[in-house]
Amino acid sequence: MKMLINVPETVVADALRGMAACHPELIVDVENRVIVRRDAPVEGKVGLVSGGGSGHEPLHGGFVGSGMLDAACPGEVFTSPVPDQMVRAAAAVDSGKGVLFIIKNYTGDVLNFDMAAELAEDEGIQVAKVLVNDDVAVTDSLYTAGRRGTGATLFVEKIAGAAAAEGAPLERVESIARRVNELSRSFGVALSPCSTPSKGGPTFELPAGELELGVGIHGEPGRERRAMMTSHEIADYAVQVVVEDLRPESPVLLLVNGMGATPQLELYGFAAEVHRALGERQVAVARTLVGNYVTSLDMAGASITLCQVDEDLLRLWDAPVRTAGLRWGA
Amino acid sequence: MKMLINVPETVVADALRGMAACHPELIVDVENRVIVRRDAPVEGKVGLVSGGGSGHEPLHGGFVGSGMLDAACPGEVFTSPVPDQMVRAAAAVDSGKGVLFIIKNYTGDVLNFDMAAELAEDEGIQVAKVLVNDDVAVTDSLYTAGRRGTGATLFVEKIAGAAAAEGAPLERVESIARRVNELSRSFGVALSPCSTPSKGGPTFELPAGELELGVGIHGEPGRERRAMMTSHEIADYAVQVVVEDLRPESPVLLLVNGMGATPQLELYGFAAEVHRALGERQVAVARTLVGNYVTSLDMAGASITLCQVDEDLLRLWDAPVRTAGLRWGA
C-alpha cells in the first residue's frame, strides 16, 4: 500500500507541521499535539475543545477557528488522545467562562476526556462535557459501549461553536450541544476498507462485490454485508434507518459525507438519491453539506447525518465560521 | 471496482441532480449540462465561463458563485463539453459586458471553446478566451499540444472572478487571467491510477512500489516512473521542477492539491514538506490552500501549484468568494 508519507511513526507530527505551515491563524504545538486558535482565549467566550484519533480529518483540527472549536487534540491514528493534551487545550482556551469538551463516544476517548475534565477542574477550569453518539448502525460495537459518535460531531461543533461565539454561557452552550446530538442520527457505508500507516495495508477485508452497511469511521463492522448495491438502493437503506430512528418533525440539516476516497462526482450523485429518498418520506431539507468532513483515511464510501433543526439552531448553523475545513461568512 | 453510482451512463447527470438539490443558489440545467449562478446575469459584470470533462470536481461546477465563475459546462467523464453547452452558458451569464472563457489546454476543450466563441459572437456576445497551461511535467502529452492545464485553473478562476466582481471590464479581466496563468506552474504525482465509471476499473497500470512523477489529471503519463519515494523526496522533486521553471521573484500562492483519494492527513504532511522545500529555495509563501480541488476521480496522489503574486493579485485572491467548493468572506 503506497502512502504519501515519510515513515508511519511521524505521520501525525508531519500533518501537524503542515497545519502550522499552512494556517498561521492557528497555534500548533507539534510536540504536545494541541491545535489552538491563535487568538485564544477569547475574552468572555466559552472555550470549545474536541479531539480524537487522527485519520478523520478535517475533523477535529480542521474545525478550529472562530465560530467553531477553540482547540483540538489529535491522537495517534485511530487512537484516543491522552488527558494531558486535553488539559493543555483547556488551559489555553479558557477565558474564565469555562470549557466544553465535545467527545465522540469511543471508550478510550470517554475515559481520557473524563480524566482530563477532573484534572482541568483541579486547575480551576470549569468543564462541561457532551457525548456525541449519533450512529444508528449498531450499539456496543468494537471500541464503543452504546452508539458511536460520527458525523453529528460536525453539527455539534459548528452549532455549539456559534452559540459560544455569540457569548452564550457554558450552561447554554452545553445544552445546545446536547440538543444537537439528540436531534442527530447518522449511518455510513463502506465500499472499501481503510489502510492505516502503521499497518501499511487494509485494516479489514471487504470482498469484491460486497459493501458494508453501517460501517464505523474506523472500519468497525456495521449491520450487515450485502452484494454491492446501487447509489439509489444505498440511499434508500441509509435514509430509512436514519429517519425511522430520528422521526424528524421539522426540516433537517443534511451532511452527505465522504469517507475519504470516494470521488466528489459520486458523492453528489449519492446526494441526489438521498434528497429523493428524504422527499419520498416527507422530510424537508433546510441545508445540505457535501464533502469529506468526517473521514476514515482512504476508505471509499459515504455516510449521511441528519439533524432536525428549529429556527434558532438553523440560525446558529448559518452563522459565520472560519476554519481550515469549514468556512463561510467570515 | 465498486463505485457509489447507479449506472455508468448516468453518473454526470446524477451528480448534476445532486448539485441542484444541494445548492439552491445555483441553476442546474441537468439536460443541457450547464451550471449557472442563480443571480446571473449580474448587471454590469463580465461573465466568467469554464468547463471541461467531469471527474475533476469541485472543478469547475463547484466554483460557480459570487466572486468566481458565473457558469460551468461539465462534459462526460474526462471528455470535453460541447460548444452548445458553452454557448448556452455564455448567453445565460452575459450582462452585455462580455464573457471570458477559461479553457484548460486539452485539444478537445480548445477546439470546442473556439467554436463556441464564434457561435456566441454570432449571437452578439463579446467573448475573450484564456488558455490555462501550467503543468510543467511534459509538453505534447496524451490529449494535449503544449502544456496541460491543471491546478492553476483554480487560481485563474478565483482571481479573475474577483476582478470581474469588482466591475473590471472584459479586457482587464482577460489580462489578469492571462497573467495569473503565466505566473503559475504545477506538477503532480500519482500513487495509484484512477478508475472511470465507464471502464469500471483503472485506466492505466501503476505497479506496486512505483509512482508516476508528472502525472496528468486524467492519468496521462508524466516524466518518469520511479520506485516509491517518501513525502520528503516527492516534495523536493516537485518543488524543484516548479521553481526552476517559474523562478518566482515575489511570494507565491501555494495549492497543495489532492488527486481525490489521498487522505487529508497525508496531504498535510506533504504540505509540510512542500513548505520546507520552498523555504530551502528562498521562496516565500503568501497563502496556502490544501485539499481536493482539481481531482482525478479516485486517484491517490497530489499536485502542487505555485502562483507568483503581487499585492494586487493577492488582494484579489483574498476577496470574498461564495461557491460550493471554495468559500470565504461571504
Side-chain angles (χ1 to χ4, degrees), chain A residues 118-129:
Chain A
E118 286 180 28
L119 293 168
E121 296 210 318
D122 288 347
E123 293 186 16
I125 302 168
Q126 192 187 352
V127 176
K129 294 178 291 186

Side-chain angles (χ1 to χ4, degrees), chain A residues 59-147:
Chain A
L59 185 83
H60 299 270
F63 298 149
V64 175
S66 81
M68 213 161 166
L69 296 179
D70 293 87
C73 314
E76 280 299 313
V77 170
F78 294 174
T79 302
S80 174
V82 295
D84 179 58
Q85 292 170 265
M86 302 154 183
V87 175
R88 278 177 196 272
V93 308
D94 182 35
S95 70
K97 298 292 177 182
V99 172
L100 178 68
F101 283 171
I102 298 171
I103 310 161
K104 299 197 302 301
N105 190 31
Y106 300 97
T107 308
D109 295 67
V110 172
L111 285 172
N112 286 318
F113 268 108
D114 278 351
M115 195 177 304
E118 286 180 28
L119 293 168
E121 296 210 318
D122 288 347
E123 293 186 16
I125 302 168
Q126 192 187 352
V127 176
K129 294 178 291 186
V130 62
L131 198 66
V132 182
N133 60 349
D134 54 307
D135 186 348
V136 303
V138 289
T139 49
D140 302 332
S141 90
L142 205 57
Y143 312 130
T144 331
R147 286 181 169 185

Side-chain angles (χ1 to χ4, degrees), chain A residues 2-6 11 17-18 21 23 191 207 210 228 231-232 260 265-266 268 272-273 275 327-330, chain B residues 2-6 11 17-18 21 23 58 191 207 210 228 231-232 260 265-266 268 272-273 275 327-330:
Chain A
K2 288 171 274 186
M3 295 181 181
L4 186 56
I5 64 173
N6 288 318
V11 161
R17 288 193 297 118
H23 302 293
L191 308 193
E210 287 186 22
M228 190 55 199
S231 171
H232 183 111
L265 188 71
E266 296 180 24
Y268 268 100
E273 297 296 344
H275 268 267
R327 188 167 168 186
W328 55 68
Chain B
K2 288 170 274 185
M3 294 179 182
L4 186 56
I5 64 174
N6 289 319
V11 162
R17 287 193 297 118
H23 301 294
L191 308 193
E210 286 186 24
M228 189 55 198
S231 171
H232 183 111
L265 189 70
E266 296 180 26
Y268 268 99
E273 297 296 345
H275 268 266
R327 187 167 170 187
W328 55 68

